[in-house]
Amino acid sequence: DTGVSQDPRHKITKRGQNVTFRCDPISEHNRLYWYRQTLGQGPEFLTYFQNEAQLEKSRLLSDRFSAERPKGSFSTLEIQRTEQGDSAMYLCASSLGRRGGNQPQHFGDGTRLSIL
Amino acid sequence: QKEVEQNSGPLSVPEGAIASLNCTYSDRGSQSFFWYRQYSGKSPELIMFIYSNGDKEDGRFTAQLNKASQYVSLLIRDSQPSDSATYLCAVNEGNQFYFGTGTSLTVIP
């Protein structure tokens, strides 16, 4: 068990550029979540996958954001035409979902995005 | 709007004392409850989880859940300086997890 892995750890880019982040969950975990966290706030839900299916997406999420989880393994989160307000820590978490409830989520180290 | 509320703190306790962290949630349908510790600049780390009313103990940590009052707490006994961090309460309903803004704890040597 190598834990949840995220890449890159840091990303600095100019406003208007596209960025893509990767998350490798714990291997046996079927559920994968993306969150965004800004200073002084708790993680804010962005989207959720069960296996390869994207089952939920935050209503607050701009259409500039898209996520995929091909083959139900790793996931990518892409932000198009980045804006200053996108600067945040992007966290990926995975869990083993079973009928009747969720097992705890385990987080990766996050990708810190800074928009210049 | 599902809400999870925590006092932001900061909460300061002397080394060796008991730290008590509290969390309330708005949705009675919430099923599972989690406490995470987050050091500055790091990602959340799972400390405890609790599903049923009552107390659950793990080492120096005790989680307490009262579903009737929609209240969950975390007690840290024999607090250590290394416990200084932000503690996040998370509530699960369905497929989503809702987080509070966290309570900042400082343990003074």
Side-chain angles (χ1 to χ4, degrees), chain A residues 31 33 35 37 40-43 45 48 55-56 89 91 101-110 112, chain B residues 31-32 34 36 38 41-46 49 51 88 92-102:
Chain A
R31 295 185 175 183
Y33 298 78
Y35 292 89
Q37 187 177 25
Q41 300 298 315
F45 170 79
Y48 151 70
L55 296 186
E56 291 195 41
M89 174 77 88
L91 294 165
N102 266 305
Q103 296 299 304
Q105 296 184 318
H106 296 268
F107 283 86
D109 288 335
R112 184 169 296 283
Chain B
Q31 301 161 327
S32 313
F34 307 87
Y36 289 85
Q38 187 171 28
K42 302 295 185 182
S43 64
E45 173 193 8
L46 181 70
F49 59 93
Y51 300 145
L88 296 165
N92 167 230
E93 183 178 344
N95 297 321
Q96 287 206 29
F97 292 75
Y98 301 91
F99 286 81
T101 56

